[in-house]
Amino acid sequence: MENEFREDESAERYATRGRKRYGSVTAREARLALWMLLPAFLIVFAVIVFPVLANFWISAKQVRLGDLRPAVPSVREFVAEVPSEP
């Protein structure tokens, strides 16, 4: 009678015999929770952390006033038809 509980074997070890490789239900739920929180962490990183890091990177670069140039407007006008003269 191999499958019977023996006194030298702990109850927990006997109970976990034959379980799949995923582990306990608690461990699976913890992994699921982390996967569900991952999008929130990525959004927080994109909205808060990335701009802060970008500001530190920009502040480390040397920029002189001569490097700044005035903005040049670029306008594209597409005319459907040539307007008739009044």
Side-chain angles (χ1 to χ4, degrees):
M1 306 221 170
E2 276 182 37
N3 290 338
E4 286 186 289
F5 180 75
R6 286 181 262 161
E7 289 183 32
D8 60 337
E9 193 173 19
S10 68
E12 184 176 332
R13 185 172 174 194
Y14 183 77
T16 59
R17 192 182 297 167
R19 282 208 181 151
K20 293 186 178 183
R21 64 185 172 103
Y22 301 114
S24 67
V25 175
T26 306
R28 285 187 290 178
E29 287 180 353
R31 281 193 296 273
L32 176 64
L34 289 176
W35 278 107
M36 293 176 78
L37 285 172
L38 184 64
F41 290 143
L42 291 176
I43 290 170
V44 168
F45 180 77
V47 172
I48 296 172
V49 177
F50 180 71
V52 169
L53 293 176
N55 281 328
F56 281 116
W57 175 256
I58 291 170
S59 69
K61 293 169 52 175
Q62 286 188 351
V63 178
R64 297 188 183 107
L65 290 176
D67 295 339
L68 303 175
R69 54 188 180 273
V72 177
S74 63
V75 179
R76 289 186 176 177
E77 292 184 18
F78 294 105
V79 180
E81 60 184 55
V82 178
S84 61
E85 296 197 26

